[in-house]
Amino acid sequence: QVQLVQSGAEVKKPGSSVKVSCKASGGTFSSYTISWVRQAPGQGLEWMGRIIPILGIANYAQKFQGRVTITADKSTSTAYMELSSLRSEDTAVYYCATSKLGRMDVWGQGTTVTVSS
Amino acid sequence: VIWMTQSPSLLSASTGDRVTISCRMSQGISSYLAWYQQKPGKAPELLIYAASTLQSGVPSRFSGSGSGTDFTLTISCLQSEDFATYYCQQYYSFPWTFGQGTKVEIK
């Protein structure tokens, strides 16, 4: 069974960037895609994008286009989500999840990103 | 973008109740719909995919139905561990989108 372990909490200044990692273990990294979903405090879930690690191809939600970059390192079975030009509204918990045919069946524990001056 | 209307946003129920949550799409998505359960401070968990297929390990009191634009999640006999927030998600087309969530609370 695949397990996803994310990097630790981050505190960032407005205008800066954050890069969150998601390391997979217990499965074949190239056999699934990785999605990133965020959840602002007290709010619902928001899909940001996903990557197909074996191809290195990513799809992004238009809302984040130009600000988010999702990458994957097959050699370490790790996916990354980098969000730039941070603003206070980006304060949220960021989750990675395996997205098999679109359904997200295994989730990381979440990474809290706080944007504050 | 496919818009989703999930209702109700808040549902008050008692243990043993049968509850239903609705998710309506702005356009048809065939059966490309999943349901998730989320408890406070935890990551979401997949309950149902392909509108009606129960994820492995999920209790059979959970069921899903629907296709096209109208979908329903049913919990046949609410247990104490089921008090949580539930989300629907479409994966028919990008961007994948979630419903606004339904919080199931103790009546």
Side-chain angles (χ1 to χ4, degrees), chain A residues 29-60:
Chain A
F29 191 59
S30 58
S31 66
Y32 43 80
T33 68
I34 299 285
S35 279
W36 288 89
V37 174
R38 78 176 186 179
Q39 186 170 39
Q43 302 300 308
L45 303 170
E46 186 172 32
W47 181 78
M48 301 177 69
R50 70 103 191 242
I51 189 164
I52 307 171
I54 196 171
L55 298 176
I57 294 172
N59 304 96
Y60 302 113

Side-chain angles (χ1 to χ4, degrees), chain B residues 12-92:
Chain B
S12 298
S14 302
T15 303
D17 284 353
R18 178 185 180 90
V19 301
T20 60
I21 298 169
S22 171
C23 198
R24 175 165 287 180
M25 309 297 136
S26 60
Q27 64 186 77
I29 63 165
S30 184
S31 296
Y32 293 94
L33 186 98
W35 291 95
Y36 301 86
Q37 176 193 70
Q38 186 180 33
K39 295 181 179 178
K42 299 294 186 181
E45 293 186 3
L46 177 66
L47 297 175
I48 286 168
Y49 62 93
S52 61
T53 302
L54 204 63
Q55 172 71 350
S56 176
V58 174
S60 58
R61 62 181 180 273
F62 291 92
S63 64
S65 63
S67 68
T69 59
D70 293 310
F71 300 86
T72 300
L73 172 70
T74 300
I75 310 172
S76 60
C77 183
L78 202 63
Q79 301 298 300
S80 57
E81 60 267 31
D82 301 335
F83 291 98
T85 301
Y86 295 84
Y87 295 92
C88 54
Q89 177 234 336
Q90 68 81 19
Y91 49 97
Y92 177 79

Side-chain angles (χ1 to χ4, degrees), chain A residues 10-14 16-19 86 113-117:
Chain A
E10 303 262 14
V11 179
K12 293 292 183 181
K13 299 284 188 189
S16 67
S17 298
V18 68
K19 191 170 186 177
L86 290 169
V113 175
T114 303
V115 183
S116 174
S117 54

